[in-house]
Structures are given as structure tokens and as C-alpha cells.
């Protein structure tokens, strides 16, 4: 399943294939973030994927051009993650690019992303193209980069979430926007008329009844004064294997609805092209995207 730029497709991070096994589904715990940045005067996408499986934590960083071609990639596989700090140099766009990371003091929660005590920096020509983490002082000292804030913009995030009836995560709907508690609730087991609820900070912002007839659709909600378009596809939950996943996309740009309006949402025989929608929205700079793959635990 390829949903993000090419170098983070099937070979970007080595994790177990989707399976009916509960253990393997847990192994698919990963979060991918996409940042738009400027490299030698050209717009580029930096993709950072954090993974967590039975082997430990993993990190993958890559750069794609606007045609989604991978220019550069560093893959720190989980079984090598004991080396929690280091650096690597590669070339892209005829420029030397260095990535530095230090996760030796990183603290993790239940997910694969570190919460604090770390940095990941991407440097080109002594400029900090992208800097993640709270150890900014240490990052600039180690990299020798000019202490000027990065101009990278957080444009998209993909996450795998797990649950039985309730699926929860933290979400922001624009770059540097406030962090919200996002909850999706849907009980499809043994219910004739299942209902879908979406809450932001405990407030119900969307409700879909008669879900067996409305298993795919879109609706606009308001968050932080922004119109956020919500797309959902729960067909697999209702009509396929018990181990299928639902997909939810949150777009903080009304132009996204115009971009995808030509593709029918209600045809049960035509699954959504999530990958194409994601790439089109990124290439046209349509704002922030959050896409969630929701897996039901047994």
C-alpha cells in the first residue's frame, strides 16, 4: 500500500506485512510526517517515518521532488537502532546533504514518535533545512549550521491507530497549530445500524448514521476557525474481513474538496485512490493533510 512519496513506499521502513495476526498488526505501529522545504531554491518534500515493532524503534528520512521521485534516503532499521546517535551524508540536487540524529536520551510514549529529549536535523550548505525535537541548542552545536530557524512547513501526517470501538490520537490541523485530542468512535460488531462519531477535544463535531449506506463520504467540520474536510471509508469494517482497516482523511483546505469532487464518493465498487489524492494535494500546496488508518483489535 503506497500512500506517501515514493521512497517511503514498500521499501522505506521494513515492517511486517499487513496480516490477520494481532502481533503483526501491532508491529505496524508507524507515523509518517511530511514537511515542505526549500532546497537550492526548489520546493522539496522531506518525509520522516517513525516505526515501532518487536525489534524496537526505527527511523527513516528521505527527500522527494515534486514528481514524487525519491532523491535521497536514510533508513535506520530497528535492529540497528541501538546506535541512537549519528550522522550520514548523501547528495541530492547536486548538493551535499547531511542528516544528524541524537535519540540517546529520547523518551517515548505508546507510539513510535519520541516525545522529548531528541533531535533530528537535515543540513545543506550549513543551513538547517529541517529540525525536529526539543534539543535545538545541541543540534546547532553538533551540525555547525547557522542558527537561523528552518523554513520547513509541516504539511501532512499519516498514522496507524488501533482500537476496538474507539480510536484516539493527537492531531493538529495546520502547521504550528494547537494540538487536539482526536477521537473516532464506531461500533460495527453485531449492530444493525452502526454509527460513526468523530470528536475533537471531547466535543462531537461529526456524526454519520445509517453507516451501511454511507460507508464512504465527506463532510466539513470547523476546527480552530478552519474549515476541515473529513473523508471516510469504512467499507472494510462493514463488509470485508474482520481484520480490514478503515481510512480517514482530514484536510484543512476547502480547495481539497474541489480537487476531489470529480471522483465519486458513493460508488461501492470504486475504492478511493488515497495515494493519488494525497500526492495531488501536496503538489498543489492545498494545506495540511492528516490521514489515519484505523485497525480493529480483536
Amino acid at each position: 500500500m503506497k500512500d506517501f512519496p515514493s521512497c517511503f513506499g514498500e521499501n522505506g521502513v521494513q515492517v511486517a506485512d499487513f496480516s490477520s495476526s494481532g502481533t503483526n498488526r501491532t508491529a505496524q505501529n508507524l507515523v509518517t510526517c511530511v514537511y515542505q522545504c526549500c532546497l537550492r531554491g526548489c520546493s522539496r518534500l522531506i518525509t520522516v517515518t517513525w516505526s515501532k515493532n518487536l525489534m524496537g524503534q526505527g527511523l527513516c528520512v528521505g527527500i522527494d521532488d515534486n514528481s514524487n521521485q525519491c532523491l535521497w534516503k536514510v533508513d535506520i532499521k530497528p535492529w540497528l537502532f541501538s546506535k541512537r546517535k549519528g550522522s550520514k551524508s548523501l547528495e541530492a540536487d547536486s548538493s551535499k546533504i547531511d542528516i544528524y540524529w541524537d535519540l540517546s536520551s529520547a523518551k517515548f510514549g505508546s507510539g513510535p514518535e519520541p516525545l522529548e529529549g531528541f533531535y533530528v536535523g537535515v543540513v545543506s550548505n550549513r543551513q538547517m533545512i529541517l529540525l525536529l525535537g526539543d534539543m535545538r541548542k545541541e543540534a546547532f552545536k553538533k551540525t555547525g549550521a547557522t542558527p537561523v530557524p528552518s523554513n520547513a512547513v509541516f504539511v501532512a501526517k499519516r498514522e496507524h491507530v488501533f482500537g476496538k470501538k474507539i480510536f484516539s490520537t493527537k492531531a493538529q490541523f495546520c502547521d504550528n497549530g494547537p494540538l487536539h485530542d482526536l477521537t473516532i468512535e464506531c461500533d460495527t460488531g453485531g449492530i444493525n445500524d452502526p454509527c460513526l462519531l468523530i470528536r475533537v477535544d471531547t466535543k462531537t463535531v461529526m456524526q454519520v448514521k445509517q453507516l451501511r449506506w454511507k460507508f464512504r463520504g465527506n463532510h466539513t467540520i470547523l476546527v480552530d476557525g478552519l474549515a476541515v474536510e473529513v473523508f471516510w471509508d469504512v467499507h472494510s469494517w462493514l463488509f470485508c474481513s474482520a481484520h480490514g482497516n478503515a481510512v480517514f482523511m482530514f484536510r484543512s483546505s476547502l480547495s481539497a474538496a474541489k480537487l476531489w469532487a470529480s471522483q465519486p464518493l458513493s460508488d461501492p465498487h470504486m475504492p478511493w485512490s488515497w495515494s493519488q489524492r494525497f500526492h495531488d494535494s501536496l503538489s498543489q500546496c492545498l494545506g495540511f493533510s492528516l490521514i489515519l488508518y484505523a485497525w480493529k483489535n480483536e
Side-chain angles (χ1 to χ4, degrees):
M1 183 180 299
K2 296 183 179 180
D3 303 288
F4 274 68
S6 58
C7 61
F8 288 86
E10 296 170 349
N11 300 317
V13 178
Q14 295 188 11
V15 291
D17 193 10
F18 293 152
S19 164
S20 60
S21 163
T23 301
N24 283 340
R25 287 203 309 278
T26 301
Q28 290 294 322
N29 194 356
L30 60 87
V31 173
T32 303
C33 299
V34 182
Y35 303 86
Q36 192 170 49
C37 66
C38 184
L39 183 61
R40 290 179 60 89
C42 299
S43 177
R44 294 290 181 255
L45 297 176
I46 298 182
T47 307
V48 180
T49 297
W50 302 93
S51 63
K52 180 180 179 181
N53 58 29
L54 297 177
M55 303 299 295
Q57 310 286 151
L59 169 65
C60 191
V61 182
I63 296 180
D64 276 32
D65 61 19
N66 289 334
S67 62
N68 302 320
Q69 294 299 312
C70 182
L71 304 175
W72 175 91
K73 182 178 73 171
V74 172
D75 192 357
I76 308 171
K77 297 179 176 61
W79 48 90
L80 299 177
F81 206 62
S82 56
K83 186 179 180 182
R84 290 177 170 264
K85 64 167 64 176
S87 64
K88 190 168 184 179
S89 298
L90 292 171
E91 282 199 9
D93 285 339
S94 301
S95 295
K96 178 185 176 185
I97 300 178
D98 302 295
I99 176 174
Y100 298 83
W101 67 92
D102 187 347
L103 300 113
S104 56
S105 301
K107 295 181 180 179
F108 293 85
S110 58
E113 288 183 286
L115 303 176
E116 60 180 350
F118 78 101
Y119 71 77
V120 175
V122 178
V123 178
S124 178
N125 296 326
R126 296 180 60 83
Q127 292 184 347
M128 188 70 74
I129 305 300
L130 174 67
L131 177 58
L132 305 178
D134 56 340
M135 296 172 57
R136 302 180 65 85
K137 182 178 179 181
E138 293 82 352
F140 279 107
K141 181 179 179 180
K142 177 65 177 179
T143 62
T146 304
V148 177
S150 166
N151 63 355
V153 178
F154 187 24
V155 294
K157 182 176 182 179
R158 184 189 73 176
E159 182 175 357
H160 288 198
V161 292
F162 305 87
K164 291 184 178 180
K165 301 177 182 179
I166 298 176
F167 305 83
S168 300
T169 187
K170 297 284 187 179
Q172 62 187 99
F173 298 95
C174 62
D175 182 47
N176 296 321
L179 202 61
H180 295 280
D181 292 313
L182 176 64
T183 303
I184 298 170
E185 182 175 346
C186 185
D187 186 359
T188 57
I191 296 180
N192 293 327
D193 187 16
C195 176
L196 174 66
L197 292 173
I198 295 181
R199 297 185 177 93
V200 176
D201 296 333
T202 72
K203 178 183 178 181
T204 300
V205 294
M206 197 184 93
Q207 182 177 15
V208 182
K209 296 181 179 180
Q210 298 180 329
L211 199 58
R212 291 189 179 276
W213 296 98
K214 302 175 182 178
F215 50 83
R216 294 190 184 109
N218 65 303
H219 181 74
T220 302
I221 63 176
L222 197 64
V223 182
D224 299 330
L226 293 173
V228 178
E229 193 79 2
V230 182
F231 297 82
W232 69 90
D233 184 346
V234 297
H235 182 272
S236 293
W237 278 356
L238 296 169
F239 305 110
C240 299
S241 165
H243 307 295
N245 68 286
V247 188
F248 300 88
M249 177 179 281
F250 299 80
R251 288 281 319 177
S252 60
S253 172
L254 287 177
S255 55
K258 297 179 182 178
L259 174 66
W260 299 330
S262 60
Q263 185 170 356
L265 302 179
S266 57
D267 186 349
H269 303 294
M270 185 178 295
W272 290 3
S273 176
W274 293 100
S275 177
Q276 186 59 48
R277 292 176 178 216
F278 175 80
H279 291 313
D280 288 346
S281 61
L282 280 185
S283 64
Q284 298 189 27
C285 301
L286 294 175
F288 185 82
S289 294
L290 169 65
I291 185 167
L292 301 176
Y293 287 84
W295 298 85
K296 289 208 168 190
N297 294 328
E298 295 180 347

